[in-house]
C-alpha cells in the first residue's frame, strides 16, 4: 500500500517537472516572438507597436530566460524607449510619458544615460510650459482686472456726462417755457391781426377767382393748338426711330461678324501653340532619356558634394592636414565630373560586394560615413569625394573569395586565411580606377585592417604609417557593423558603439573616433 502511494507521488512529481519545463520553453519562445515583432515594428517605424511588443517581452522574462535572450530584449527596449521619448519630446503626451516612467520603474535595466537625458529634457520643457502658462494666465487676469477698471471708469464718466446734459436740458427747458409764455402773448396779438387780414384776403380771393376763370377759357384754346403741334412732332419722331433701329441692327451684325472672325483666328492660334508645345515636350523627353543614364549618381546621405552648403569645421589634429590627403592632385571641373562617373561605377561594384557578403547597404553606409568624417576632419571637397568612392569598394577582394565560405557556420584556419587574403587580391578588381587616384584606392582595399598598435594585417603598420583613408574605413566599418543588426546579435545604440571604439585606442584612431562622436 505504501509502495503504491510512493509510485503515485513520483508520477505526479514527474508530470509537474515536465509541465514546468514545457512552460519554460514556451515562455522563451513567446519572449522571442514578442522581441521579433518589436524589431519588425521598428523596421517599419511603428514605434507604438514596437513599444507594446517589447514591454510584452519584458513582462514574460523570468528566471528561466537565458541571459543572452534577456540581454537582447533589454538592448532592443533601450532603442525603442529612446525613440518613444524622442517622439514625446517632439509632441508632448502626458499619458504616454507617465506610462514610460512606470515601465522604467518596473524595468530599471532599460534605463540608460540617453533615456535619463530625454526624461530630463521633457520634464524641463513641461516646467517651462507650465511657468509660461501661469504667467499667461496671470497676465490675462491682470488684463481683465484692468479692463474692468477701465470700463467702470468709463461708466462713471458717461453717467456724469449724462447728468450734466440732463441739467443743461432742464435749464434750456425752463428758458424755453419762459420764452413760450412770451410767445403765446405775442401769438394772441398776431392772431387778431391775421383775422383782420384774412377778411381782407377773402375779398381779394373772390376777385382773383373771377380773373382765373376768364384766363382758363383762353388757356383751353391755346392747349388745342399745342396738341395739334405735338401730334405732328410724334409722326416725325417715329420715322427717326425706325431709321435708328435699322442702323443699330446693321452695326450689331457687323460686330458679330468681327467677333466670329476673331474667335476662329484665336482657336487656330491656340491649336498651333498646343502642337508646338507638344513638340517641345517630346524633344525634352528625348533629351532627358538620352542624358539620364550619364547624369545619374546615387550618393545617399552624402549630399552637397561640391561645396553648395555651409563648410564643416576643421578638426584639431595636425596629422589630418588637408595637404597630406592627395598632394599631387588638383581637382578641376573635369576631375569633378570624372569623380561623379567613378562614383557610379563604384556604386555598382559596392552593390555586388554587399550581395556576396550578405551585408545589406554596407558599402553605401560605410562610404557615406567616410565622406562625412573626411569633411569634418578638414579635408578638401575633392579629397572627401575621392575617399567616398574608395570606401565604396574597400572590400572588393571579397569578390574573389569562395562563396561557400559565407554560408559556413565555422571556418577552418585555412578558410580564415583565405578570408584575410581578400586584402591582397582586391587590386585585380580596381583596373577601372584612373592612375592618378590609384594610391588612395590601393590603400583603402589593402590596409583597412591595420591597427594603430601594429597588431593588424597584412603589413602590421602602426600609427601614422597607416594611410588616412585606411584609418577612416577602419573606424567607419566597425561602427556600421556594431550599429547594424546581425543574425548572431542585436544592434548597439550609438552611445554604446562609440564607447566600445574609445575603449580600443590600440585599434582605432582616437581623432577619428572623436569626430565620429560629433556627427552621428
Amino acid at each position: 500500500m505504501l509502495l503504491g502511494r510512493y509510485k503515485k507521488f513520483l508520477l505526479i512529481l514527474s508530470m509537474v517537472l515536465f509541465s514546468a519545463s514545457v512552460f519554460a520553453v514556451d515562455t522563451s519562445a513567446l519572449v522571442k516572438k514578442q522581441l521579433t515583432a518589436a524589431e519588425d515594428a521598428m523596421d517599419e517605424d511603428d514605434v507604438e507597436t514596437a513599444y507594446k511588443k517589447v514591454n510584452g517581452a519584458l513582462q514574460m522574462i523570468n528566471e528561466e530566460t537565458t541571459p543572452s535572450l534577456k540581454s537582447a530584449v533589454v538592448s532592443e527596449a533601450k532603442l525603442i524607449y529612446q525613440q518613444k521619448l524622442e517622439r514625446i519630446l517632439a509632441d508632448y503626451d502626458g499619458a504616454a510619458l507617465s506610462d514610460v516612467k512606470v515601465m522604467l520603474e518596473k524595468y530599471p535595466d532599460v534605463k540608460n544615460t540617453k533615456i535619463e537625458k530625454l526624461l530630463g529634457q521633457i520634464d524641463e520643457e513641461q516646467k517651462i510650459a507650465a511657468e509660461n502658462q501661469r504667467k499667461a494666465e496671470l497676465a490675462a487676469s491682470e488684463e481683465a482686472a484692468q479692463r474692468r477698471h477701465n470700463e467702470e471708469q468709463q461708466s462713471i464718466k458717461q453717467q456724469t456726462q449724462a447728468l450734466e446734459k440732463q441739467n443743461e436740458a432742464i435749464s434750456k427747458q425752463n428758458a424755453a417755457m419762459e420764452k413760450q409764455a412770451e410767445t403765446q402773448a405775442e401769438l394772441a396779438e398776431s392772431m387778431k391781426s391775421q383775422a383782420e387780414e384774412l377778411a381782407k384776403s377773402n375779398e381779394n380771393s373772390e376777385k382773383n377767382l373771377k380773373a382765373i376763370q376768364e384766363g382758363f377759357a383762353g388757356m383751353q384754346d391755346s392747349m388745342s393748338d399745342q396738341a395739334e403741334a405735338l401730334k405732328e412732332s410724334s409722326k416725325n419722331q417715329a420715322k427717326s426711330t425706325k431709321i435708328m433701329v435699322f442702323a443699330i441692327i446693321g452695326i450689331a451684325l457687323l460686330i458679330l461678324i468681327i467677333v466670329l472672325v476673331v474667335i476662329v483666328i484665336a482657336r487656330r492660334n491656340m491649336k498651333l501653340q498646343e502642337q508646338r508645345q507638344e513638340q517641345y515636350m517630346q524633344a525634352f523627353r528625348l533629351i532627358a532619356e538620352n542624358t539620364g543614364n550619364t547624369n545619374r549618381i546615387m550618393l545617399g546621405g552624402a549630399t552637397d558634394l561640391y561645396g553648395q552648403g555651409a563648410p564643416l569645421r576643421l578638426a584639431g589634429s595636425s596629422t589630418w592636414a588637408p595637404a597630406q590627403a592627395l598632394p599631387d592632385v588638383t581637382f578641376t571641373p573635369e576631375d569633378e565630373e570624372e569623380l561623379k562617373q567613378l562614383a557610379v561605377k563604384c556604386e555598382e561594384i559596392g552593390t555586388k560586394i554587399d550581395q556576396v557578403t550578405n551585408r545589406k547597404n554596407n558599402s553605401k553606409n560605410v562610404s557615406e560615413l567616410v565622406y562625412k568624417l573626411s569633411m569634418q576632419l578638414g579635408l578638401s571637397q575633392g579629397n572627401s569625394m575621392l575617399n567616398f568612392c574608395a570606401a565604396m569598394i574597400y572590400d572588393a577582394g571579397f569578390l574573389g573569395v569562395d562563396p561557400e565560405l559565407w554560408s559556413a557556420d565555422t571556418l577552418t584556419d585555412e578558410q580564415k586565411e583565405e578570408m584575410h587574403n581578400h586584402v591582397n587580391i582586391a587590386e585585380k578588381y580596381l583596373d577601372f580606377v584612373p592612375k592618378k587616384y590609384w594610391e588612395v584606392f590601393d590603400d583603402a582595399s589593402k590596409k583597412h585592417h591595420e591597427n594603430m598598435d601594429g597588431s593588424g594585417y597584412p603589413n602590421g603598420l602602426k600609427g601614422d604609417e597607416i594611410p588616412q583613408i585606411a584609418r577612416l574605413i577602419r573606424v567607419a566599418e566597425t561602427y556600421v557593423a556594431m550599429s547594424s543588426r546581425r543574425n548572431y546579435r542585436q544592434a548597439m545604440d550609438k552611445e554604446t558603439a562609440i564607447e566600445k571604439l574609445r575603449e580600443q585606442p590600440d585599434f582605432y584612431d582616437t581623432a577619428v573616433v572623436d569626430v565620429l562622436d560629433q556627427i552621428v
Side-chain angles (χ1 to χ4, degrees):
M1 186 71 175
L2 182 60
L3 182 61
R5 290 181 180 179
Y6 181 71
K7 288 182 179 179
K8 288 181 181 179
F9 175 75
L10 290 177
L11 180 61
I12 293 171
L13 180 61
S14 299
M15 293 177 65
V16 170
L17 292 174
F18 177 75
S19 299
S21 64
V22 171
F23 177 75
V25 172
D26 289 343
T27 302
S28 297
L30 290 174
V31 171
K32 291 180 180 179
K33 183 177 180 180
Q34 292 284 0
L35 177 59
T36 301
E39 293 172 348
D40 293 341
M42 282 298 289
D43 290 339
E44 297 174 0
D45 200 27
D46 187 355
V47 177
E48 291 301 323
T49 301
Y51 176 72
K52 294 177 182 178
K53 296 298 182 181
V54 80
N55 284 339
L58 288 169
Q59 291 173 359
M60 286 186 278
I61 291 176
N62 54 32
E63 296 179 354
E64 302 296 332
T65 305
T66 62
S68 60
L69 180 57
K70 181 178 180 180
S71 176
V73 172
V74 171
S75 178
E76 187 69 19
K78 289 179 180 180
L79 295 173
I80 294 173
Y81 271 59
Q82 181 177 325
Q83 290 291 321
K84 175 82 171 176
L85 289 172
E86 287 177 353
R87 296 201 176 188
I88 294 175
L89 180 61
D91 186 9
Y92 180 74
D93 185 342
L97 179 62
S98 298
D99 184 66
V100 171
K101 288 183 177 179
V102 169
M103 298 308 293
L104 287 174
E105 290 293 332
K106 190 173 181 181
Y107 307 112
D109 291 343
V110 176
K111 187 179 294 186
N112 60 14
T113 304
K114 182 64 175 181
I115 291 175
E116 291 179 347
K117 183 178 179 181
L118 286 169
L119 288 171
Q121 290 177 344
I122 294 172
D123 291 340
E124 184 64 24
E125 286 195 1
Q126 291 309 304
K127 288 180 182 178
I128 294 172
E131 180 64 19
N132 291 338
Q133 184 177 2
R134 187 189 67 78
K135 291 180 179 179
E137 291 175 352
L138 180 60
S141 176
E142 293 177 351
E143 183 180 354
Q146 183 63 36
R147 185 167 57 253
R148 287 195 298 271
H149 176 73
N150 293 338
E151 290 174 352
E152 291 173 355
Q153 293 295 324
Q154 184 67 21
S155 177
I156 293 171
K157 183 177 180 181
Q158 290 176 351
Q159 291 176 0
T160 302
Q161 291 176 349
L163 287 173
E164 291 176 353
K165 288 181 179 180
Q166 187 175 1
N167 292 333
E168 185 179 352
I170 292 172
S171 299
K172 289 181 179 180
Q173 186 177 4
N174 291 335
M177 289 177 66
E178 293 176 357
K179 188 176 290 186
Q180 185 178 6
E182 295 176 357
T183 302
Q184 286 179 351
E186 294 176 354
L187 181 60
E189 186 66 26
S190 175
M191 289 178 66
K192 183 179 179 182
S193 300
Q194 289 178 359
E196 293 175 350
E197 291 178 356
L198 183 60
K200 294 179 180 178
S201 177
N202 287 335
E203 293 178 359
N204 293 331
S205 295
E206 290 178 357
K207 293 179 181 179
N208 291 334
L209 182 59
K210 290 180 179 179
I212 290 171
Q213 288 176 347
E214 294 174 353
F216 184 72
M219 187 182 297
Q220 283 181 336
D221 294 337
S222 176
M223 287 179 66
S224 258
D225 294 339
Q226 289 179 359
E228 290 293 334
L230 183 60
K231 185 176 180 181
E232 185 68 24
S233 176
S234 296
K235 290 180 180 180
N236 294 332
Q237 188 174 3
K239 292 180 181 179
S240 300
T241 301
K242 288 181 181 180
I243 295 172
M244 186 176 296
V245 168
F246 286 126
I248 291 173
I249 292 173
I251 293 171
L253 290 173
L254 181 60
I255 292 173
L256 181 60
I257 292 170
I258 293 173
V259 170
L260 290 175
V261 172
V262 170
I263 291 174
V264 171
I265 295 173
R267 292 186 64 182
R268 184 179 178 185
N269 289 337
M270 288 176 63
K271 187 175 293 186
L272 289 173
Q273 187 174 0
E274 290 175 357
Q275 291 175 352
R276 289 174 183 170
Q277 187 174 2
E278 181 62 24
Q279 291 173 355
Y280 291 152
M281 291 300 294
Q282 289 178 356
F284 178 78
R285 284 194 292 267
L286 289 174
I287 292 172
E289 291 173 359
N290 290 332
T291 60
N293 292 330
T294 58
N295 290 333
R296 183 184 66 85
I297 179 170
M298 297 175 63
L299 301 178
T303 56
D304 190 26
L305 295 178
Y306 294 101
Q308 300 300 318
L312 297 171
R313 64 185 183 83
L314 178 64
S317 174
S318 61
T319 63
W320 286 97
Q324 293 188 8
L326 200 61
D328 297 331
V329 176
T330 300
F331 291 95
T332 64
E334 291 77 12
D335 292 328
E336 294 176 353
E337 183 60 31
E338 184 180 34
L339 282 177
K340 288 183 180 181
Q341 302 302 323
L342 184 60
V344 172
K345 180 64 176 177
C346 290
E347 183 186 8
E348 294 175 357
I349 297 176
T351 301
K352 294 179 181 178
I353 296 170
D354 291 345
Q355 291 173 349
V356 169
T357 59
N358 196 26
R359 297 177 300 180
K360 185 177 180 181
N361 293 330
N362 180 75
S363 297
K364 171 180 174 292
N365 294 335
V366 172
S367 60
E368 289 180 359
L369 192 54
V370 166
Y371 173 80
K372 293 175 182 178
L373 288 169
S374 300
M375 291 295 292
Q376 189 75 355
L377 284 162
L379 302 185
S380 69
Q381 187 72 53
N383 280 314
S384 298
M385 181 57 190
L386 189 59
N387 287 348
F388 171 86
C389 295
M392 185 75 74
I393 57 173
Y394 73 97
D395 267 341
F398 279 139
L399 296 174
V401 173
D402 184 359
E404 294 183 357
L405 297 183
W406 298 106
S407 59
D409 294 332
T410 58
L411 298 178
T412 64
D413 292 340
E414 292 78 7
Q415 290 172 330
K416 291 179 181 179
E417 184 63 27
E418 182 179 354
M419 293 289 277
H420 287 174
N421 194 50
H422 78 280
V423 297
N424 297 319
I425 63 175
E427 63 181 71
K428 67 179 181 179
Y429 299 100
L430 306 179
D431 55 355
F432 65 93
V433 177
K435 184 177 180 180
K436 58 184 176 182
Y437 303 141
W438 173 260
E439 183 179 352
V440 175
F441 281 79
D442 189 53
D443 288 340
S445 62
K446 286 185 178 180
K447 302 172 184 177
H448 61 272
H449 283 292
E450 299 287 359
N451 294 328
M452 296 298 289
D453 63 353
S455 62
Y457 66 90
N459 299 320
L461 302 178
K462 64 171 60 177
D464 290 341
E465 295 176 352
I466 305 172
Q468 291 181 355
I469 181 62
R471 281 183 273 166
L472 289 170
I473 293 174
R474 187 77 171 100
V475 172
E477 179 191 34
T478 305
Y479 175 79
V480 169
M482 287 192 296
S483 58
S484 301
R485 186 180 291 119
R486 293 288 186 261
N487 295 333
Y488 52 87
R489 63 164 173 78
Q490 296 295 316
M492 295 183 186
D493 57 71
K494 292 184 289 187
E495 291 80 3
T496 303
I498 294 293
E499 188 61 31
K500 291 286 185 183
L501 292 173
R502 290 192 188 282
E503 290 174 357
Q504 302 179 76
D506 293 339
F507 287 5
Y508 309 105
D509 190 329
T510 55
V512 179
V513 175
D514 289 340
V515 174
L516 177 66
D517 190 19
Q518 298 171 18
I519 66 177
V520 296

